[in-house]
């Protein structure tokens, strides 16, 4: 659901917060100097974070694979007089953007809907300037061990799958066809080696980390979401 005009007005006054994960607001310190920063809201359509960051003074580009989600950003921009660049595309392919185009990439929980996450980190590293920041949220992989029918609305947790998880290969043919017929998104449970190790492999330096909760019964035992702040370091020999 897109943010309302009151949230945009508050952001223009400097009163704003956004989330990478379901509940916990991201520390403003993670953004560095936001006013005038070139921000890529990566797979972040929906009229939520992108418009808030634009109202707070950033120059924001929203890239998403869903025309309907981008339409929500357009609705907020037109309603509240914001400037947003809207791009339809895949999070794994940022070839339309040149090297070192952005100061900040804001990537909320979205890469659980693609089979391979490491290409995302490599592309993020390329399009960020040196000293640029990648803020990313993701689902903890342990969530995908359990029968999806038991993940919500029940206290019963049944270990049913192994990691890494992928709907197309982990579900039975009948389960997969039902998921598709119901219009549900296909999900992929990436390991921490891919989520965090992949950022390090791409060249990032990890500067921040936190965990968050959702409405899953599993949250009684472990926080089911996490977020990272990673920075693209300056070239060797520079400060």
């Amino acid at each position: 659901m897109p943010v309302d005009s009151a949230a945009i007005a508050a952001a223009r006054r400097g009163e704003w917060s956004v989330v990478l994960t379901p509940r916990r607001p991201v520390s403003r310190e993670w953004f560095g100097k936001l006013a005038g920063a070139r921000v890529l809201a990566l797979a972040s359509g929906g009229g939520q974070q992108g418009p808030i960051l634009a109202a707070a003074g950033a120059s924001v580009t929203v890239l998403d694979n869903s025309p309907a989600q981008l339409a929500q950003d357009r609705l907020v921009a037109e309603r509240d007089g914001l400037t947003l660049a809207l791009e339809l595309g895949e999070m794994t392919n940022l070839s339309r953007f040149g090297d070192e185009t952005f100061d900040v990439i804001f990537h909320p929980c979205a890469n659980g809907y693609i089979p391979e996450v490491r290409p995302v980190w490599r592309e993020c590293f390329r399009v960020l300037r040196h000293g640029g920041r990648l803020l990313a949220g993701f689902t903890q992989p342990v969530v995908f061990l359990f029968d999806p029918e038991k993940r919500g609305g029940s206290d019963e947790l049944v270990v049913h799958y192994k990691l890494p998880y992928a709907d197309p290969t982990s579900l039975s043919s009948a389960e997969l066809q039902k998921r598709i017929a119901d219009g549900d998104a296909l999900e992929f449970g990436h390991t921490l080696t891919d989520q965090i190790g992949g950022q390090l492999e791409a060249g990032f330096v990890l500067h921040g980390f936190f965990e968050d909760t959702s409405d899953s019964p599993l949250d009684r035992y472990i926080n089911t979401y996490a977020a990272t702040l990673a920075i693209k370091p300056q070239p060797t020999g520079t400060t």
Side-chain angles (χ1 to χ4, degrees):
M1 297 295 294
V3 295
D4 59 22
S5 293
I8 297 299
R12 284 176 164 144
R13 297 192 303 267
E15 303 166 5
W16 60 272
S17 66
V18 290
V19 295
L20 283 164
T21 52
R23 293 174 173 166
R24 179 172 171 175
V26 180
S27 169
R28 290 201 195 184
E29 293 181 356
W30 277 29
F31 289 91
K33 184 179 180 294
L34 186 61
R38 301 163 297 172
V39 174
L40 174 62
L42 182 61
S44 184
Q48 299 169 17
Q49 299 97 350
I52 290 291
L53 297 175
S59 174
V60 179
T61 299
V62 181
L63 184 140
D64 202 281
N65 197 37
S66 166
Q69 289 288 76
L70 290 175
Q72 300 284 54
D73 290 279
R74 185 175 297 108
L75 180 154
V76 177
E78 293 175 352
R79 183 193 68 201
D80 297 313
L82 295 170
T83 298
L84 288 176
L86 305 180
E87 298 279 349
L88 180 67
E90 299 277 354
M91 69 181 84
T92 56
N93 180 3
L94 305 181
S95 59
R96 69 190 70 191
F97 304 122
D99 296 354
E100 301 185 36
T101 297
F102 298 102
D103 302 301
V104 176
I105 295 176
F106 189 85
H107 180 52
C109 297
N111 62 40
Y113 300 108
I114 56 174
E116 300 290 337
V117 70
R118 287 176 184 256
V120 176
W121 307 138
R122 290 194 293 267
E123 279 288 81
C124 286
F125 189 85
R126 181 184 65 81
V127 302
L128 273 175
R129 66 168 176 83
H130 291 282
R133 297 162 178 252
L134 168 64
L135 286 66
F138 55 88
T139 307
Q140 295 271 32
V142 67
V143 171
F144 294 92
L145 290 173
F146 301 96
D147 185 337
E149 299 302 321
K150 305 295 185 182
R151 287 183 197 164
S154 171
D155 289 335
E156 183 181 8
L157 295 170
V158 180
V159 175
H160 197 68
Y161 302 106
K162 64 180 181 179
L163 299 174
Y165 174 88
D167 274 349
T169 55
S170 299
L171 297 179
S172 69
S173 178
E175 290 171 325
L176 182 61
Q177 291 307 312
K178 183 179 185 304
R179 183 73 57 87
I180 294 171
D182 290 344
D184 293 334
L186 300 184
E187 293 185 79
F188 301 83
H190 304 295
T191 64
L192 292 178
T193 298
D194 285 335
Q195 292 283 21
I196 296 177
Q199 294 182 42
L200 300 177
E201 182 183 74
F204 286 105
V205 176
L206 197 65
H207 278 254
F209 179 87
F210 67 79
E211 295 180 319
D212 196 10
T213 60
S214 66
D215 295 321
S216 169
L218 188 57
D219 280 295
R220 292 185 300 158
Y221 309 103
I222 186 173
N223 295 327
T224 49
Y225 287 83
T228 54
L229 166 63
I231 294 180
K232 179 176 178 176
Q234 297 289 348
T236 303
T238 64
T239 60

